[in-house]
Amino acid sequence: MDNFSVIYKILKALEKAMDYDEFDTKLISHERFGISYQRWEKILIMLVKSGYIEGVAFDQTLSDYSQCIVEPIHPVITLKGLEYLSENTLMKKAANLARGIKETIPGL
């Protein structure tokens, strides 16, 4: 699965979770997306560092090559994450509109 698709799906799941008291992290697990744990872990850490989510702690020891998530996690979408979802949805709508116009007007 494409990294950006995974990011979008994680953020979308966290956005939907705003309506509930508890969030089932299995909804954003690496198994659910069919990716390796290592890729999933790196994506979550990138989302935290970029300010799209919070509630995920990570650490790096001297023996580790890369940073690792510290369990348990309680991911929550941030305002920046909500803005990403909004912009991404608007871009998809604009692309679909442009594609539709191109299909209906020959020569474009």
Side-chain angles (χ1 to χ4, degrees), residues 55-97:
V56 177
F58 51 93
D59 193 14
Q60 182 174 8
T61 63
L62 294 175
S63 63
D64 289 333
Y65 174 72
S66 59
Q67 296 172 323
C68 299
I69 290 177
V70 178
E71 299 282 345
I73 64 171
H74 303 288
V76 178
I77 193 167
T78 64
L79 180 58
K80 190 172 180 179
L82 291 171
E83 289 171 349
Y84 176 91
L85 285 177
S86 177
E87 290 171 7
N88 195 304
T89 301
L90 290 174
M91 292 298 284
K92 283 184 179 180
K93 287 180 182 178
N96 288 338
L97 178 64

